[in-house]
Amino acid sequence: MKITKKMLVGILLTLGLAVFSDFLSHYIPNIGAEALALILGMLLGNTILTNKRWEPGVKWAEKYPIEIGIALLGVEVTLTTIESLGWQGIVFILIQMTATIFFVLFIGGRLFKVSAQSAMLMGAGNAVCGSSAIAAVAPEIDATDDQRRTAVATVSLSGVLLLFILPILGPSIYHGNNLLIGALIGGTVQSVGQVIGTASLVNPAVIDYATLFKMLRVILLSVVVLAMSNSARKMRQNEPGNHEAQAAKHIQIHKLVPWFIYAFLGLLAFSTIVALPHSVVLGAKSVTGFFGVVNLAGIGLNLKWQTIKASGVKFMGYGLVTITFQVLAAILLISLIY
């Protein structure tokens, strides 16, 4: 999307808030830059920054930089990531992700009565990688901006809750087994940044294991996008009078997945074949991490109290039930597989 002159003030505001949140996170490491950006954005966007002139740029900064960040995740992982976890790790993540998605979709429709799009966004965000997964899935299922922002806010705040709980729960259950503590954290916490932040509250070895488990979830992002896109397309085909339009869309199979997912898979394949310099990998991680903060800053600035009030209690309950299920399922699976 082309950047216009009227977008510049909003883009600079969002970038500035992201930089400030990143700086502040060094003094409040237990919360992390992503959560700080979201919280500060929500506070500012509903108080002193309510002028409409900010909106075009903030909306641009919220949507587009994160696409580059998602693509660059492919630099950070290789197919050897999967191999290093062994068959147990692969089975654990596959079952954990699948169970999370089906559980979230089920309770979303039956218990919390949310839209199919909101349930899919919650499923992707919790099962894969938080706001990055939601950003990837949202356009493919025709989710509205409010649905996307509410899902991101819910998933991100749920991740903050896990950040405080798992560093206590993991060691108390697994008594110093860094692999299993890493599996619990890497298999449940939403965003990559929150996984690292949570694991860092235990010890450096847990960071390594948790990151590996998390990267396996990230690798499966494209599968989740394809599955949910296909599911949404089938739902639209079943709508009265909509068969012709959806049949036409069905022909354009290559458009089921956005460009950044193809870029992610291409970079993953390339980084598997070619050993990239450590500086390149670190650079990609830094860009991805910062764009994730920018994304949450934009979401916070755009998320209004009216939206939160309309669905806040419902979605907070939805998020709480979801993370409770994730943690219990992970503990059960770890005990069965390991």
Side-chain angles (χ1 to χ4, degrees):
M1 180 179 178
K2 183 180 179 181
I3 300 175
T4 62
K5 183 178 284 188
K6 69 177 183 178
M7 292 180 181
L8 291 178
V9 289
I11 292 173
L12 291 174
L13 168 66
T14 313
L15 292 175
L17 180 57
V19 170
F20 178 72
S21 300
D22 188 57
F23 170 77
L24 195 60
S25 69
H26 292 92
Y27 299 94
I28 317 176
N30 288 353
I31 298 180
E34 294 95 341
L36 285 170
L38 177 67
I39 294 168
L40 290 175
M42 289 169 63
L43 290 174
L44 293 173
N46 286 279
T47 53
I48 63 175
L49 297 174
T50 57
N51 194 301
K52 296 289 185 182
R53 74 190 185 100
W54 305 105
E55 287 187 6
V58 172
K59 286 182 178 179
W60 185 94
E62 175 190 342
K63 291 184 179 181
Y64 294 99
I66 192 62
E67 295 182 354
I68 299 173
I70 295 169
L72 289 177
L73 284 172
V75 175
E76 302 176 37
V77 297
T78 66
L79 295 180
T80 56
T81 301
I82 303 175
E83 185 180 352
S84 65
L85 293 178
W87 69 267
Q88 296 98 329
I90 297 171
V91 170
F92 165 64
I93 290 298
L94 287 174
I95 297 176
Q96 175 76 1
M97 286 182 63
T98 303
T100 296
I101 290 172
F102 278 105
F103 177 79
V104 171
L105 292 178
F106 178 78
I107 65 168
R110 297 294 181 86
L111 181 61
F112 292 98
K113 308 296 182 182
V114 302
S115 66
Q117 288 90 344
S118 291
M120 287 183 185
L121 294 179
M122 287 287 289
N126 283 284
V128 190
C129 52
S131 59
S132 298
I134 292 171
V137 170
E140 301 310 306
I141 62 172
D142 294 334
T144 66
D145 284 345
D146 278 348
Q147 287 171 333
R148 177 174 53 81
R149 289 169 190 152
T150 303
V152 168
T154 305
V155 168
S156 298
L157 293 174
S158 298
V160 172
L161 188 60
L162 289 178
L163 190 149
F164 290 104
I165 293 173
L166 294 185
I168 299 171
L169 183 64
S172 67
I173 295 176
Y174 300 117
H175 309 292
N177 188 321
N178 293 325
L179 172 64
L180 300 187
I181 298 172
L184 177 63
I185 294 173
T188 57
V189 179
Q190 285 80 355
S191 76
V192 176
Q194 287 175 335
V195 166
I196 296 171
T198 304
S200 67
L201 296 178
V202 185
N203 64 57
V206 172
I207 296 176
D208 293 338
Y209 285 120
T211 301
L212 288 174
F213 280 102
K214 181 61 182 180
M215 285 300 102
L216 182 52
R217 291 164 68 189
V218 172
I219 288 172
L220 295 170
L221 173 60
S222 57
V223 178
V224 173
V225 173
L226 273 172
M228 291 191 172
S229 175
N230 187 56
S231 177
R233 179 167 49 83
K234 287 181 178 178
M235 286 191 296
R236 289 192 294 265
Q237 284 177 333
N238 291 329
E239 294 176 359
N242 204 30
H243 297 284
E244 290 185 10
Q246 292 309 316
K249 187 172 181 178
H250 179 66
I251 297 173
Q252 303 177 37
I253 298 176
H254 66 284
K255 291 186 177 180
L256 284 175
V257 179
W259 72 269
F260 48 89
I261 298 299
Y262 289 117
F264 166 80
L265 293 173
L267 288 172
L268 186 152
F270 184 75
S271 62
T272 299
I273 298 169
V274 179
L276 297 174
H278 187 59
S279 58
V280 172
V281 177
L282 285 179
K285 283 184 177 181
S286 298
V287 172
T288 298
F290 180 69
F291 282 165
V293 179
V294 172
N295 175 248
L296 285 170
I299 285 168
L301 289 167
N302 274 322
L303 189 60
K304 303 306 178 185
W305 293 132
Q306 294 90 333
T307 303
I308 300 170
K309 186 177 179 180
S311 57
V313 175
K314 178 193 292 185
F315 271 86
M316 287 301 106
Y318 194 3
L320 183 60
V321 172
T322 296
I323 61 173
T324 301
F325 170 81
Q326 282 184 284
V327 172
L328 293 177
I331 293 171
L332 175 61
L333 286 172
I334 290 170
S335 67
L336 292 174
I337 295 173
Y338 289 96

